[in-house]
Amino acid sequence: MTTTTTTITPLDPAPARVGIAAPSADGALLGAHSADHYADLLHGVVDALAERFRTVDAPSVGPDRAQLAARVASTDLDGAGVGDVEALRELDDLYARNAVWFHHPAYLAHLNCPVLIPAVAAEAMLAAVNTSVDTYDQSLVGTLMERRLVEWTAGRLGYAAGDGVFTSGGTQSNLQALFLAREAVLRRHGGERAELMPRLRVLAGPAAHFSIGRAAQLLGLAPEAVQTLATTADGRVDPERLAEDLAALDAAGDIVLAVALTAGTTDQGLIDPLRPLAGICRSHGAWLHVDAAYGGALLLSERRRGLLDGIAAADSVTVDFHKTFFQPVSSSAVLVRDPASLAATSHHADYLNPAAEALGPEAEPNQVDKSLQTTRRFDALKLWATLRSVGPDRIGEMVDAVCDLAAQVHGLLEDAEDMEVLPRGDLSTVLFRFRPAGVDEEEADRLVPLIRRILMQSGRAMVARTTVDGRAWLKLTLLNPGTRVDEVTAVLDLVRATARGLLAGAALAATEETR
Ligand SMILES: *Cc1c(COP(=O)(O)O)cnc(C)c1O
């Protein structure tokens, strides 16, 4: 037949399917009629992924970016669709096949962790149930469970009372913490907001996460409002200089919005000396925020929790569960020492959490009162599954394992004649670079980004790169407690071979130029 008409006639079967259980469940919403299809489809996805975990032999297959871009661009997103099974099969081939595998022992780049299986299962649960922990009437037990985990975390910090809320990540936790600090300081000073705002200052160490500066900008502060604190020679914020800086700000008529310290800097894993710094903040009346996105899990380590000594004096703390608690993205929390300080976040909407109700005897425990988000994932469920499954001590041991591994790798690099290494931090990163005799600082700098890119393109190993005091360094972030030291040295050998190849290529090019 050559007819070209596309008019839907009453004989077309499609309209008749509307509103009833489709014979094929493709396109079905998850519900009673589609429960079998849901189970089949997800079992298939889990089986395919399990096979990838069984067989993946490198952090990535080293896909060509232009080819990936072409495949992504050429996928038809406007057609009728290929059905659920085929769509998921396609994703296994396009996404899973070309993904980065953080569990692989040669993945040593960023703060991405391998994930605990009970947490992954809980992630599947919370996605299917689709709870939103904004109001009690949308979550019921979910709200109570999240509150219990906030209390648990506050207790681990050493807060007598404390409160907080789960967030999407450390970036959002830092933003909310500084927002609460801003509101607290403006309330305390009284007077005109417009007059006070230009006088507000955030003090942070030089290696504070960039989200601190961006939060300050989002909160309406000028770029110069973020002042960099002096450090001691080891790179940690210097308590004596903090005292001087606070006094100088007072003298200038400026107002401290917050002192933002870091418990585990992203690059070097340095923990600022929290107890002495907290004492200075306290005597000055300055809000202390501690960004423990990376180092927070040390609270669970028998051997290392002393490194966070003093954290209980912080007014607010950021903890990322999706880093050192081995949770799937996203899972983070902001905690506050004084539960009343969270009130600045509250907004009462008539349709959601009316103010009158919040005061009455029937008040419901609405988490939206404490969050910058409205609709919000029930990420807490993953941490709950983890704590019930393996307990916090096990997480502490896993954190110790990666810190111990970093110490071991650091020792090897110190002994290596062809490598330069920065002093050891407190957590699980190692910063180093290839610099044998005859390679000067500038050449070592030039090699760093090239080595990272060549390794990434090969897919065989992934390392990160960063800059410290103007010089380029390769970075290993060790977050897999199952990784053995020989697996890391294999990556170091790849770094060496790559660097030698680059140097040989450069030497060859130089001789050809002089010909
Ligand atoms: C990772 C990190 C952040 C940002 O957290 P996200 O979860 O990536 O938003 C903030 N601070 C520090 C110290 C970090 O290491």
Side-chain angles (χ1 to χ4, degrees):
M1 234 169 58
T2 55
T3 175
T4 53
T5 177
T6 54
T7 312
I8 296 173
T9 71
L11 293 177
D12 190 295
R17 281 165 53 174
V18 173
I20 58 162
S24 151
D26 283 346
L29 297 171
L30 181 48
H33 63 294
S34 60
D36 289 346
H37 176 62
Y38 155 73
D40 288 347
L41 192 68
L42 265 77
H43 285 147
V45 169
V46 169
D47 287 343
L49 272 177
E51 187 55 16
R52 293 220 173 263
F53 277 97
R54 256 176 234 122
T55 56
V56 154
D57 61 358
S60 107
V61 292
D64 176 72
R65 178 144 54 106
Q67 279 175 14
L68 284 184
R71 274 187 74 182
V72 168
S74 67
T75 302
D76 178 11
L77 300 179
D78 294 303
V82 294
D84 293 356
V85 172
E86 179 58 16
L88 271 299
R89 199 204 55 73
E90 274 182 19
L91 286 191
D92 178 61
D93 190 57
L94 175 64
Y95 163 60
R97 194 182 115 72
N98 293 303
V100 181
W101 299 97
F102 301 146
H103 72 282
H104 193 277
Y107 180 82
L108 302 170
H110 300 287
L111 272 167
N112 312 108
C113 55
V115 285
L116 285 156
I117 296 170
V120 176
E123 176 83 60
M125 255 176 118
L126 70 94
V129 178
N130 198 29
T131 293
S132 172
V133 271
D134 49 343
T135 53
Y136 180 70
D137 68 358
Q138 296 173 73
S139 55
L140 305 178
V141 71
T143 284
L144 305 180
M145 292 169 79
E146 173 169 316
R147 285 193 163 199
R148 176 84 198 281
L149 283 173
V150 166
E151 275 169 33
W152 176 84
T153 312
R156 290 277 168 169
L157 287 171
Y159 284 165
D163 199 0
V165 71
F166 274 65
T167 71
S168 62
T171 301
Q172 193 189 355
S173 296
N174 284 342
L175 172 62
Q176 184 166 0
L178 293 192
F179 166 72
L180 296 175
R182 186 190 72 180
E183 294 309 296
V185 80
L186 289 176
R187 217 174 25 251
R188 186 149 44 86
H189 279 263
E192 286 292 315
R193 272 177 102 88
E195 188 272 319
L196 294 170
M197 282 290 289
R199 294 164 57 198
L200 297 180
R201 299 288 177 268
V202 173
L203 306 183
H209 193 261
F210 68 82
S211 56
I212 296 289
R214 199 166 53 187
Q217 188 189 5
L218 287 167
L219 291 171
L221 305 197
E224 64 275 12
V226 181
Q227 296 190 357
T228 304
L229 290 167
T231 63
T232 44
D234 59 9
R236 296 171 179 86
V237 169
D238 183 344
E240 272 176 38
R241 300 286 298 280
L242 172 65
E244 290 167 19
D245 284 349
L246 289 172
L249 284 181
D250 275 350
D254 292 334
I255 302 168
V256 182
L257 184 156
V259 174
L261 303 177
T262 313
T265 55
T266 312
D267 276 343
Q268 290 185 269
L270 298 173
I271 299 175
D272 291 324
L274 301 180
R275 184 166 290 282
L277 289 163
I280 292 159
C281 290
R282 175 65 61 85
S283 56
H284 193 272
W287 180 290
L288 170 58
H289 174 63
V290 175
D291 178 356
Y294 182 8
L298 293 185
L299 292 167
L300 310 185
S301 157
E302 187 92 43
R303 288 163 51 203
R304 288 184 170 83
R305 76 173 58 117
L307 288 167
L308 298 182
D309 177 51
I311 200 167
D315 294 282
S316 56
V317 176
T318 290
V319 177
D320 262 6
F321 301 111
H322 60 214
K323 285 175 178 166
T324 37
F325 286 70
F326 307 97
Q327 299 294 295
V329 174
S330 56
S331 188
S332 175
V334 60
L335 289 306
V336 291
R337 189 163 45 81
D338 174 10
S341 64
L342 266 183
T345 305
S346 292
H347 179 87
H348 293 283
D350 290 338
Y351 76 97
L352 210 56
N353 58 339
E357 228 164 68
L359 299 172
E362 292 301 306
E364 289 169 7
N366 293 324
Q367 290 293 82
V368 72
D369 297 354
K370 306 175 182 182
S371 176
L372 299 183
Q373 293 169 263
T374 307
T375 306
R376 189 163 53 83
R377 294 167 54 84
F378 184 25
D379 286 318
L381 188 69
K382 296 175 280 189
L383 181 60
W384 187 286
T386 299
L387 294 177
R388 288 297 299 146
S389 168
V390 298
D393 293 353
R394 176 78 195 109
I395 300 173
E397 288 163 13
M398 291 163 74
V399 173
D400 278 335
V402 294
C403 294
D404 290 345
L405 180 64
Q408 229 179 326
V409 170
H410 189 267
L412 292 175
L413 283 163
E414 271 182 329
D415 293 342
E417 306 237 302
D418 55 352
M419 297 285 196
E420 226 178 346
V421 60
L422 282 180
R424 233 190 94 44
D426 299 307
L427 290 167
S428 65
T429 58
V430 183
L431 272 65
F432 72 105
R433 58 199 206 148
F434 181 75
R435 193 167 167 226
V439 170
D440 63 19
E441 296 255 50
E442 286 67 32
E443 188 142 41
D445 283 345
R446 271 195 300 278
L447 285 173
V448 162
L450 298 175
I451 294 167
R452 184 204 72 97
R453 185 143 41 89
I454 289 169
L455 290 183
M456 180 188 74
Q457 285 169 346
S458 79
R460 290 175 66 194
M462 294 214 187
V463 301
R465 56 104 201 277
T466 190
T467 306
V468 176
D469 296 334
R471 303 246 82 105
W473 296 88
L474 290 167
K475 174 168 83 161
L476 306 179
T477 306
L478 301 166
L479 271 192
N480 187 341
T483 297
R484 298 186 315 264
V485 73
D486 61 291
E487 291 171 320
V488 182
T489 49
V491 172
L492 297 178
D493 286 341
L494 274 178
V495 166
R496 287 190 171 93
T498 307
R500 292 211 184 92
L502 286 164
L503 289 175
L508 188 66
T511 40
E512 275 173 0
E513 254 168 45
T514 55
R515 251 184 221 158

